[in-house]
């Protein structure tokens, strides 16, 4: 209570907290959250350092170079193809008068709700050797070989399918924030529509493109499920094997640190890009961009986008539906999934609430404070985010096994794992929301007699409501489909949809995986559709 | 005269999809070479749409637009903006945030050869005194500097006509004044044909060779600033271009009676029509008079002048502006006179001829005597009217 009173007094003097004399409560909380997120990272560093020469040996091993190359190559190619898919899709949903534009806009984001390993399974089942399509082609035209699904091509394609929405969403948001009079200005200065796009729009979209590419690249670097299914060993995969197979974990820790350095470099590079983007956003009222009539090109892009969604989302759903139908027809027994379904819902919801609660002080401090130290507070969160889920999970396991054994394999630890993994998703969303809030409103509330903490309830949170809903949904979605943390941190005997699917497919009980797969897709897609439609409505309302 | 018309807009209509009323309806305007025409009107009257139509950023539903003898828009043809040779300075300047000042200015002359381009940029940088800022980015500039960059950028390709959309709306009051003078100077030096859009009447009058008053999507009157101000064609135009008081007139044949005096009216008018006199605040003269029929109800000191609000016998409140030497406490009874040479009368919205003065005023008297007498006469008529009303 004394903290809040002190904060109130300081707040009256100016908004430059945290001051040197006594940091505000929010700042202390934000610092706590950040240090918590840094724990696994510190543990890894300590572990690698402990290894000494063995760590160095692991680093200089020729195999490490090969894995590194594979990881980086995959990340870059996936990022590039994601951007190439995302840019035209963002353009047609934002600037072309397509019928049902807003529905397509929601649809193109849906692959995010599908776990990568499900798409990978489905693609193998359809396109892989002895898959459905290969079978059909073999019988029809005697074609025996399809392009190899396993290996680089499959991993590349699958990861592009599930990550292109990152680029799409980021570019689309930037397009919406772009002042269309800039394009008008280019036209009046003598440039054709196409030239105006490449001279003005594209350079202004570049930070958003890079931001989307970063997310795709981080996903590719850290992906475990799809990589495992498609048998394309990368750094992440080999870290998992090292941990599982050898007693010496310092080598694995070293490789994990290498991955962290890679990811951190990508994050830092992207931040530098984004700093300029602040000036690219227009302020104040502006006339909405006029929609172009759809050309054949737009229809082509629309068709392409729909087939991407079809592959990413449609393939797992139809494969699972087929197995489920077959099991019903053959009346095979299928294990009950009610408990797993309920567990998924509960854990997802609890993790979302916990993550958003932890994210609130960080987002607030980062978006509002004046000191550069406070503004950089969320960088560690991003570095932790770039830690692949499998590495994060493993370091949490080791850390608790060593220091807090009573927490090991308990629900609170599982939730904490999710929270540490997905904090940046929540802080990213909330930061933007807080940054847009007019600080005068809070000052008005203060002069009307509201205390420092009441402002959270009466002003900040109500204003941030759409952002809160978005952050909760996002964390829920990603938690529910998260694989490695769930596998490693769940208490024994605790099953969620993800673990049921993973265990069933690992043992090739396809029919057992069918129903949970369908539920898993539904649990991700339904909230995403609802959120998407809601946001579209809010935005179109603002757009006038 | 006809051949030097640079921009000719004929009967243009434009309705945005999804909005009921047309943004621009039956709009016609001719702008001559080297002329500065300002379009003035309240916000939402279609001014910006007019500019966008001329620039080619919107396509008219009906009507034609001719620029420099070439038809750029009619029922069939539509020349895209990049082929029109029109310069446009946007209200928020629309400077490219990823380009420096110099790169912004060069944008429209990208295809010129290097030497010509460098020379033109140098010329414009000097003209707008932006040379020291050439490597800066737009977000590093002040509002006034951004505006100059926007103008230089629009002028660079030597446009046939320069369109300015509310050029001073984003500047604060003090800067606005300075930039207005600078812009006037600059445009005079360049000698380009300009169409300027503004909602600020003072801006429109000060800058323009001719003023076009726009109301509800169409241009109501085009004239020199002086004539627009002194001889507005309609009551709405009068209100738009300056502070205006309207005093009702009672008709008595061709004789009009008002609290400002009696008037002869030129033409025969329907007696049931509502006729009003327009009087600008500066043209009202107040004199303390114990039997005056008007009462001072409000007094505001602004420094250069004192603004008095006066209630006339007919119940109308009139805004007046007086030199600071006129000191009248609130509640003072005053006689109200006005500068008769600058009066105008309106029947409904339309301006009507005013034979200005009554017979006795034409006798060689000083105008003050005339006015006093008129006031006196008027007082009698008012009191007789009130007696009639009592009955």
């Amino acid at each position: 209570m004394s903290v809040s009173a002190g904060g109130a007094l300081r707040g009256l003097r100016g908004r430059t907290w945290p001051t040197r004399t006594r940091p505000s409560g929010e700042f202390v909380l934000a610092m706590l959250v950040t240090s918590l997120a840094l724990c696994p990272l510190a543990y890894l560093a300590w572990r690698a350092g402990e290894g000494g020469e063995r760590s160095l040996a692991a680093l200089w091993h020729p195999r490490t170079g090969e894995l590194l190359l594979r990881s980086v190559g995959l990340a870059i190619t996936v990022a590039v193809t994601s951007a190439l898919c995302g840019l035209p899709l963002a353009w047609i949903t934002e600037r072309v008068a397509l019928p049902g534009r807003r529905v397509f806009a929601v649809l193109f984001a849906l692959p995010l709700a599908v776990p990568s390993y499900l798409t990978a399974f489905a693609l193998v089942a359809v396109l892989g050797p002895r898959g459905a399509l290969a079978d059909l082609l073999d019988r029809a035209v005697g074609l025996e070989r399809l392009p190899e699904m396993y290996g680089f091509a499959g991993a590349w394609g699958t990861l592009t399918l599930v990550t292109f929405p990152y680029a799409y969403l980021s570019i689309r948001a930037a397009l919406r924030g772009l002042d269309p009079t800039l394009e008008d200005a280019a036209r009046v200065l003598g440039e054709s529509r196409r030239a105006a796009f490449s001279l003005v729009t594209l350079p202004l979209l570049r930070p958003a493109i890079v931001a989307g590419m970063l997310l795709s690249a981080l996903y590719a670097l850290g992906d475990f499920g799809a990589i495992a299914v498609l048998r394309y060993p990368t750094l992440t995969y080999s870290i998992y094997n090292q941990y599982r197979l050898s007693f010496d974990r310092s080598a694995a820790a070293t490789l994990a640190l290498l991955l962290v350095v890679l990811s951190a470099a990508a994050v830092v590079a992207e931040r530098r890009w984004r700093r300029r983007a602040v000036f690219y956003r227009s302020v104040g009222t502006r006339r909405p961009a006029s929609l172009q009539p759809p050309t054949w090109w737009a229809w082509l892009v629309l068709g392409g986008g729909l087939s991407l969604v079809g592959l990413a989302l449609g393939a797992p759903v139809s494969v699972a539906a087929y197995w489920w139908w077959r099991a019903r027809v053959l009346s095979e027994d299928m294990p009950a999934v009610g408990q797993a379904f309920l567990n998924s819902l509960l854990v997802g919801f609890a993790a979302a609430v916990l993550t958003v609660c932890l994210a609130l002080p960080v987002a607030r401090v980062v978006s509002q404070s004046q000191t550069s130290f406070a503004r950089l507070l969320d960088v560690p969160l991003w570095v932790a985010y770039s830690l692949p889920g499998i590495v994060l999970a493993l370091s949490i396991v080791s850390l608790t096994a060593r220091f807090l054994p009573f927490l090991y394999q308990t629900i609170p630890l599982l939730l904490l794992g999710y929270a540490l993994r997905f904090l940046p998703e929540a802080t990213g969303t909330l930061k933007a929301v807080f940054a847009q809030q007019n600080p005068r409103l809070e000052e008005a509330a203060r002069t009307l007699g509201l205390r420092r903490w009441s402002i959270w309830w009466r002003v900040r949170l109500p204003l941030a409501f759409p952002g809160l809903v978005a952050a909760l949904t996002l964390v829920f979605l990603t938690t529910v489909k998260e694989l490695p943390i769930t596998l490693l941190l769940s208490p024994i005997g605790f099953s969620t949809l993800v673990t049921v699917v993973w265990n069933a497919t690992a043992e090739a009980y396809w029919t057992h995986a069918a129903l949970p797969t369908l539920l898993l897709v539904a649990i991700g897609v339904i909230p995403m559709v609802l959120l998407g439609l809601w946001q579209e409505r809010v935005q179109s309302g603002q757009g006038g | 005269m006809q051949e030097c018309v640079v921009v000719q807009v004929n009967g243009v209509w434009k309705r945005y999809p999804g909005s009921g009323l047309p943004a621009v309806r039956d709009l016609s305007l001719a702008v001559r070479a080297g002329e500065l025409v300002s379009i003035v009107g309240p916000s939402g009257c279609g001014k910006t749409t007019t500019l966008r139509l001329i620039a080619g950023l919107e396509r008219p539903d009906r009507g034609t637009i001719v620029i420099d003898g070439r038809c750029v828009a009619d029922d069939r043809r539509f020349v895209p903006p990049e082929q029109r040779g029109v310069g446009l300075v946007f209200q928020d300047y629309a400077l490219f945030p990823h380009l420096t000042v110099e790169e912004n200015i060069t944008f429209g002359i990208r295809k010129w050869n290097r030497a010509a381009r460098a020379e033109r940029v140098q010329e414009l940088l000097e003209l707008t005194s932006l040379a020291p800022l050439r490597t800066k980015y737009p977000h590093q500039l002040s509002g006034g500097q951004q505006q100059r960059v926007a103008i230089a950028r629009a002028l660079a390709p030597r446009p046939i006509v320069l369109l300015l959309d509310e050029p001073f709306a984003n500047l604060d009051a003090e800067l606005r004044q300075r930039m207005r003078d600078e812009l006037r100077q600059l445009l005079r030096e360049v000698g380009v044909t300009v169409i300027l859009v503004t909602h600020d009447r003072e801006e429109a009058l000060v800058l323009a060779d001719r003023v076009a008053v726009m109301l509800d999507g169409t241009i109501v009157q085009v004239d020199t600033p002086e004539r627009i101000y002194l001889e507005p064609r309609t009551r709405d135009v009068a209100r738009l271009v300056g502070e205006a008081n309207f005093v009702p007139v009672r008709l008595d044949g061709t004789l009009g009676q008002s609290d400002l005096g009696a008037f002869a009216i030129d033409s025969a008018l329907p007696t049931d029509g509502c006729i009003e006199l327009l009087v600008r605040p500066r043209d009202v003269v107040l004199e303390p008079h114990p039997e005056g029929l008007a009462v001072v109800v409000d007094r505001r000191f602004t420094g250069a002048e004192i603004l008095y609000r006066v209630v006339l016998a007919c119940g109308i409140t009139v805004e007046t502006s007086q030199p600071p030497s006129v000191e009248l406490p609130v509640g003072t009874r005053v006689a109200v006179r006005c500068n008769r040479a600058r009066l105008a009368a309106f029947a409904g919205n339309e301006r009507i001829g005013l034979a200005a003065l009554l017979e006795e005023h034409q006798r060689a008297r000083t105008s003050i005597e005339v006015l006093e007498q008129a006031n006196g006469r008027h007082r009698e008529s008012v009191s007789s009217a009130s007696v009639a009303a009592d009955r």
Side-chain angles (χ1 to χ4, degrees):
Chain A
M1 220 50 235
S2 64
V3 174
S4 70
L9 281 175
R10 218 172 17 258
L12 289 176
R13 259 189 275 133
R15 305 192 327 100
T16 49
W17 56 272
T19 54
R20 218 166 287 164
T21 46
R22 243 172 81 194
S24 72
E26 283 150 23
F27 186 71
V28 171
L29 281 178
M31 282 293 287
L32 278 176
V33 172
T34 308
S35 351
L36 199 62
L38 279 175
C39 281
L41 212 60
Y43 174 75
L44 277 180
W46 175 63
R47 211 47 214 264
E50 209 184 33
E53 272 183 21
R54 275 165 303 157
S55 304
L56 276 178
L59 202 59
W60 294 121
H61 198 280
R63 174 82 178 143
T64 308
E66 191 191 327
L67 289 171
L68 191 66
L69 224 58
R70 283 175 165 217
S71 275
V72 172
L74 188 65
I76 292 176
T77 46
V78 166
V80 168
T81 43
S82 296
L84 288 180
C85 296
L87 180 63
L89 290 178
W91 182 266
I92 62 161
T93 49
E94 198 53 35
R95 292 293 175 83
V96 179
L98 287 172
R101 187 167 65 98
R102 304 211 171 267
V103 175
F104 289 127
V106 174
L107 204 61
F108 292 149
L110 286 188
L112 275 189
V114 185
S116 62
Y117 48 87
L118 284 189
T119 303
F121 277 134
L123 290 183
V124 168
V126 176
L127 300 173
R130 281 174 297 154
L133 189 65
D135 201 33
L136 196 73
L137 286 176
D138 191 16
R139 260 186 269 169
V141 289
L143 184 76
E144 280 181 19
R145 277 190 64 84
L146 275 175
E148 187 60 71
M149 256 321 277
Y150 291 115
F152 175 73
W156 180 25
T158 307
L159 288 174
T160 300
L161 280 181
V162 293
T163 63
F164 83 86
Y166 285 125
Y168 159 74
L169 287 173
S170 155
I171 296 170
R172 188 153 175 267
L175 254 183
R176 195 180 297 127
L178 212 64
D179 188 348
T181 55
L182 291 174
E183 285 158 39
D184 289 345
R187 297 294 304 282
V188 173
L189 288 166
E191 301 298 342
S192 65
R193 204 185 278 276
R194 190 168 303 204
F197 178 80
S198 60
L199 286 170
V200 175
T201 314
L202 202 58
L204 292 177
L205 287 181
R206 214 173 285 157
I209 297 174
V210 173
M213 284 172 74
L214 173 77
L215 289 175
S216 295
L218 287 182
Y219 194 103
L221 278 181
D223 184 75
F224 171 72
I227 295 299
V229 172
L230 293 166
R231 299 179 205 154
Y232 184 69
T234 58
L235 206 50
T236 305
Y237 190 71
S238 97
I239 292 166
Y240 174 70
N241 278 341
Q242 293 260 10
Y243 253 100
R244 220 182 40 174
L245 299 179
S246 73
F247 283 105
D248 177 25
R249 296 195 164 165
S250 53
T254 311
L255 293 186
L257 272 184
L258 187 61
L259 203 56
V260 170
V261 169
L262 270 184
S263 312
V267 171
V268 169
E270 191 268 345
R271 283 215 155 213
R272 296 193 75 108
W273 271 90
R274 194 149 32 159
R275 206 171 302 154
R276 288 180 63 183
V278 174
F279 307 113
Y280 293 181
R281 300 213 139 244
S282 65
V283 287
T285 55
R286 49 164 211 269
R287 84 181 34 236
S290 54
L291 296 179
Q292 296 169 12
T295 55
W296 62 269
W297 183 85
W299 292 110
L300 199 70
V301 171
L302 180 65
L306 290 179
S307 29
L308 287 181
V309 175
L311 279 174
L313 183 63
V317 168
S318 35
V319 168
Y322 168 73
W323 280 111
W324 187 62
W325 170 79
R326 237 181 82 133
R328 289 287 300 269
V329 168
L330 301 176
S331 54
E332 280 181 39
D333 61 9
M334 286 190 286
V337 291
Q339 187 59 45
F341 179 69
L342 203 64
N343 283 346
S344 273
L345 278 182
L346 286 177
V347 165
F349 186 69
V353 171
L354 177 68
T355 310
V356 168
C357 286
L358 292 179
L360 278 173
V362 181
R364 166 74 196 165
V365 167
V366 171
S367 66
Q368 294 290 312
S369 50
Q370 321 273 319
T371 62
S372 52
F373 173 70
R375 259 179 312 199
L376 289 175
L377 212 63
D378 69 331
V379 172
L381 299 184
W382 276 100
V383 176
Y385 185 66
S386 65
L387 215 60
I390 190 91
V391 176
L392 182 74
L394 286 168
S395 61
I396 291 178
V397 167
S398 311
L399 202 59
T400 44
R402 196 145 177 175
F403 299 108
L404 304 160
F406 59 91
L407 267 180
Y408 182 59
Q409 289 198 330
T410 57
I411 295 284
L413 190 69
L414 178 65
L415 295 181
L416 191 66
Y418 287 137
L420 291 187
R421 174 99 179 100
F422 299 125
L423 259 175
E425 288 183 355
T427 50
T429 311
L430 293 172
K431 210 166 64 178
V433 173
F434 282 137
Q436 278 165 10
Q437 280 184 10
N438 184 352
R440 300 291 97 75
L441 290 177
E442 281 183 24
E443 287 167 2
R446 277 314 241 316
T447 60
L448 292 170
L450 247 64
R451 288 190 179 212
R452 190 166 191 79
W453 293 104
S454 327
I455 284 181
W456 274 103
W457 292 112
R458 306 257 322 257
V459 182
R460 260 178 228 157
L461 291 183
L463 281 174
F465 181 70
L468 276 178
V469 173
L472 281 171
T473 314
L474 204 60
V475 177
F476 175 81
L477 280 178
T478 38
T479 303
V480 162
K481 68 172 194 171
E482 208 284 337
L483 177 66
I485 292 176
T486 317
L487 282 181
L488 288 168
L489 294 184
S490 288
I492 293 167
F494 182 81
S495 67
T496 66
L497 288 177
V498 166
T499 56
V500 171
V501 171
W502 184 256
N503 292 332
T505 47
E507 289 152 34
Y509 285 130
W510 301 109
T511 47
H512 289 188
L515 189 57
T517 297
L518 288 176
L519 287 173
L520 194 54
V521 171
I523 221 176
V525 164
I526 290 169
M528 190 133 181
V529 167
L530 292 178
L531 178 73
L533 289 176
W534 183 55
Q535 283 178 338
E536 289 296 323
R537 215 184 57 199
V538 169
Q539 274 149 7
S540 66
Q542 283 167 350
Chain B
M1 215 49 201
Q2 198 60 38
E3 59 265 46
C4 61
V5 168
V6 168
V7 177
Q8 176 86 50
V9 181
N10 278 326
V12 161
W13 291 71
K14 173 71 189 176
R15 209 176 86 182
Y16 289 111
S19 73
L21 288 170
V24 163
R25 58 184 173 89
D26 198 20
L27 181 132
S28 298
L29 179 68
V31 180
R32 300 182 207 113
E35 189 181 35
L36 198 160
V37 170
S38 64
I39 301 177
V40 64
S43 50
C45 74
K47 303 180 302 262
T48 299
T49 304
T50 308
L51 281 199
R52 291 177 64 85
L53 285 164
I54 296 172
L57 295 169
E58 306 287 348
R59 192 178 185 139
D61 301 331
R62 235 191 292 169
T64 61
I65 300 172
V66 179
I67 296 175
D68 205 21
R70 182 169 67 127
C71 177
V72 293
D74 60 13
D75 290 344
R76 268 162 296 159
R77 248 169 310 179
F78 180 73
V79 177
E82 64 266 25
Q83 291 163 23
R84 288 197 180 192
V86 164
L88 175 54
V89 176
F90 292 85
Q91 180 171 352
D92 56 1
Y93 313 136
L95 297 179
F96 302 120
H98 59 305
L99 302 179
T100 61
V101 167
E102 189 173 354
E103 287 164 344
N104 262 289
I105 297 175
T106 326
F107 193 93
I109 50 175
R110 233 165 25 99
K111 288 160 193 160
W112 290 18
N113 74 51
R114 184 189 290 258
R117 201 167 57 200
E119 193 187 335
R120 181 69 176 148
V121 169
Q122 192 55 39
E123 188 187 338
L124 285 164
L125 284 171
E126 273 162 25
L127 193 67
T128 51
S129 26
L130 285 168
L133 303 170
R134 65 196 308 160
T135 56
K136 292 262 190 286
Y137 284 90
H139 68 263
Q140 297 168 308
L141 305 180
S142 71
Q145 289 165 342
Q146 287 185 12
Q147 190 203 35
R148 279 185 281 157
V149 177
I151 292 170
R153 183 180 71 178
L155 285 175
R158 299 189 198 281
I160 300 163
V161 57
L162 180 68
L163 311 176
L164 295 162
D165 188 4
E166 297 270 6
F168 308 105
N170 283 348
L171 304 177
D172 57 62
E174 199 181 327
L175 193 59
R176 195 175 299 184
Q177 191 84 30
R178 222 184 64 211
M179 290 306 293
R180 190 197 290 165
D181 296 340
E182 271 184 34
L183 181 69
R184 218 160 77 111
Q185 190 73 29
L186 181 80
L187 294 177
R188 196 167 294 163
E189 256 174 76
V190 177
V192 64
T193 309
V194 179
I195 303 176
L196 177 147
V197 147
T198 177
H199 69 274
D200 184 320
R201 55 193 172 217
E202 202 185 319
E203 229 167 78
L205 297 175
V206 166
L207 287 169
D209 297 320
R210 286 195 303 151
V211 176
V213 178
M214 191 161 181
L215 284 165
D216 297 328
T218 196
I219 287 179
V220 189
Q221 186 176 2
V222 189
D223 243 320
T224 60
E226 291 81 0
R227 284 175 58 105
I228 287 276
Y229 189 80
L230 295 174
E231 297 168 33
R233 191 174 292 160
T234 68
R235 190 180 189 275
D236 293 334
V237 172
R239 273 163 49 106
L240 197 74
V241 296
E243 289 285 337
N245 297 303
F246 291 96
V247 178
V249 173
R250 290 174 304 280
L251 272 188
D252 185 5
T254 58
L255 195 69
Q257 298 279 1
S258 82
D259 287 2
L260 296 173
F263 304 87
I265 299 201
D266 243 1
S267 43
L269 285 157
T271 45
D272 55 336
C274 163
I275 293 189
E276 287 170 308
L277 284 179
L278 158 71
V279 55
R280 305 280 185 197
R282 284 279 170 90
D283 299 334
V284 179
V285 182
L286 300 180
E287 270 193 1
H289 196 295
E291 285 163 44
L293 283 179
V295 179
V296 174
V297 291
D298 187 29
R299 170 186 179 280
R300 281 160 294 158
F301 179 74
T302 66
E305 54 194 10
I306 303 180
L307 305 177
Y308 287 103
R309 201 174 282 163
V310 172
V311 176
L312 300 181
C314 61
I316 294 286
T317 304
V318 172
E319 294 279 352
T320 79
S321 111
Q322 305 294 320
S325 56
V326 178
E327 191 51 63
L328 301 165
V330 171
T332 313
R333 285 195 157 283
V334 287
V336 179
R337 295 180 282 110
C338 63
N339 182 347
R340 305 199 130 220
R342 301 182 62 164
L343 281 177
F346 296 90
N349 194 27
E350 295 302 310
R351 184 188 163 96
I352 54 170
L354 195 66
L357 308 167
L358 274 177
E359 234 174 76
E360 67 250 51
H361 307 139
Q362 282 154 1
R363 288 172 215 148
R365 293 193 194 178
T366 65
S367 64
I368 289 177
E369 286 169 28
V370 169
L371 288 165
E372 272 173 352
Q373 187 159 23
N375 252 356
R377 278 171 47 97
H378 181 58
R379 211 172 304 146
E380 283 158 28
S381 67
V382 167
S383 49
S384 63
S386 63
V387 169
D390 283 347
R391 238 183 266 149

